[in-house]
């Protein structure tokens, strides 16, 4: 069965600094997909970035990048140049099946950005 | 384009009452799924569907029923509400393959007293 582990309940960073949010995963499927979602205090779930297990390069989307280390089964989210608006809960997730029928989530990391 | 619409946004139930949380999407997505979010637990998968007429159980299915008679709608039924079902419920949908990201509804905050 798939499992996502996020070991950092809370992280603190100052504006304009970079921050890394950790995510490790476990799966026996050779083909899988990993996601990061942001949940601000308003509660909506915002899709940030996706990494497929066969993708040759690490995914990037603007200030977000995914540090994908397949052998270590880690998929850390890197946020460059943090902004106050980055303060939120961040969830790492994995496709439940190779077909991607649903998601399995980690418990989340709360990021606080200060000025 | 409304995306994923969940109703109601808030609901208070008494123990033992039944109700249906509605979820509708207008993106012609094949996959739909329900999650509950509890403090410190992340989002946990309740039920999911890969298409009309096909549903399956997730991590925490007990106490919930689903059906998918159309591509657009995926309602979640609580048969006899319990205080342990107090939670925030999210519905999500995705195109086949799932690589495109899952679109989430805005959530339903349910309190069972």
């Amino acid at each position: 069965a798939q499992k996502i582990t996020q070991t950092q309940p809370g992280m603190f960073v100052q504006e304009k600094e970079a921050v890394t949010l950790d995510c490790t995963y476990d799966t026996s499927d050779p083909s899988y997909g990993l996601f990061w979602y942001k949940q601000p205090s308003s509660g909506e779930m915002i899709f940030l970035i996706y990494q497929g297990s066969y993708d040759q390069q690490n995914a990037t989307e603007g200030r977000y990048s995914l540090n994908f280390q397949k052998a270590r089964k880690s998929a850390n989210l890197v946020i460059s140049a943090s902004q106050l608006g980055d303060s939120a809960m961040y969830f790492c997730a994995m496709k439940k099946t190779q077909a991607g029928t649903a998601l399995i989530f980690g418990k989340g990391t709360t990021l606080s950005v200060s000025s | 384009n409304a995306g994923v619409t969940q109703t109601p946004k808030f609901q208070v139930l008494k123990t033992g009452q039944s109700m249906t949380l509605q979820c509708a999407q207008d993106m012609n997505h094949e996959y739909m799924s329900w999650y509950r979010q509890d403090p410190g637990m992340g989002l946990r998968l309740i039920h999911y569907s890969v298409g009309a007429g096909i549903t399956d159980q997730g991590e925490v299915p007990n106490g919930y029923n689903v059906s998918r008679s159309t591509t657009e709608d995926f309602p979640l039924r609580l048969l006899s509400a319990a205080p342990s079902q107090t939670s925030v419920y999210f519905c999500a949908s995705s195109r086949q393959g799932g690589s495109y990201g899952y679109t989430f509804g805005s959530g339903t905050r349910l309190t069972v007293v």
Side-chain angles (χ1 to χ4, degrees):
Chain A
Q2 293 94 337
K3 184 177 181 181
I4 295 284
T5 302
Q6 294 180 256
T7 58
Q8 306 157 313
M11 290 286 286
F12 298 87
V13 67
Q14 288 209 314
E15 258 188 312
K16 301 179 185 177
E17 291 183 349
V19 62
T20 298
L21 305 184
D22 294 341
C23 172
T24 58
Y25 60 90
D26 191 20
T27 181
S28 57
D29 290 332
S31 174
Y32 51 89
L34 297 155
F35 301 79
W36 278 92
Y37 278 82
K38 173 184 179 181
Q39 186 180 46
S41 57
S42 53
E44 71 263 38
M45 296 290 290
I46 302 169
F47 167 65
L48 295 178
I49 199 166
Y50 170 80
Q51 179 84 42
S53 58
Y54 293 126
D55 293 344
Q56 294 297 313
Q57 294 187 332
N58 288 344
T60 60
E61 291 286 349
R63 293 186 299 110
Y64 303 108
S65 60
L66 201 152
N67 184 0
F68 182 48
Q69 298 188 38
K70 198 169 182 177
R72 297 180 61 185
K73 293 191 173 181
S74 74
N76 298 339
L77 178 70
V78 181
I79 305 175
S80 63
S82 297
Q83 302 172 355
L84 293 178
D86 293 334
S87 294
M89 177 75 83
Y90 289 81
F91 291 102
C92 182
M94 166 183 285
K95 291 186 192 181
K96 175 175 169 54
T97 63
Q98 290 191 33
T101 49
L103 293 172
I104 302 297
F105 283 86
K107 294 185 178 182
T109 295
T110 301
L111 177 65
S112 299
V113 182
S114 59
S115 56
Chain B
N1 198 347
V4 178
T5 302
Q6 287 186 240
T7 55
K9 293 192 183 304
F10 302 93
Q11 183 70 48
V12 179
L13 285 180
K14 293 183 179 180
T15 297
Q17 286 185 319
S18 63
M19 81 160 294
T20 299
L21 307 185
Q22 301 292 344
C23 176
Q25 53 94 6
D26 61 359
M27 298 170 285
N28 205 30
H29 284 173
E30 295 88 354
Y31 298 163
M32 297 186 74
S33 46
W34 276 102
Y35 305 84
R36 60 176 289 173
Q37 182 177 16
D38 302 295
M41 298 297 292
L43 280 77
R44 291 181 291 171
L45 179 64
I46 304 173
H47 285 286
Y48 62 100
S49 170
V50 300
I54 306 170
T55 64
D56 206 346
Q57 297 182 350
E59 304 168 90
V60 288
N62 292 341
Y64 308 96
N65 275 2
V66 292
S67 61
R68 185 132 178 239
S69 56
T70 67
T71 299
E72 295 78 20
D73 299 301
F74 191 42
L76 179 72
R77 297 182 186 85
L78 283 71
L79 303 177
S80 177
S84 60
Q85 294 179 304
T86 293
S87 188
V88 179
Y89 291 85
F90 287 97
C91 178
S93 73
S94 170
R95 286 169 57 184
Q96 210 168 38
S99 307
Y100 313 100
Y102 292 70
T103 302
F104 281 78
S106 57
T108 295
R109 184 173 294 274
L110 176 69
T111 302
V112 182
V113 297

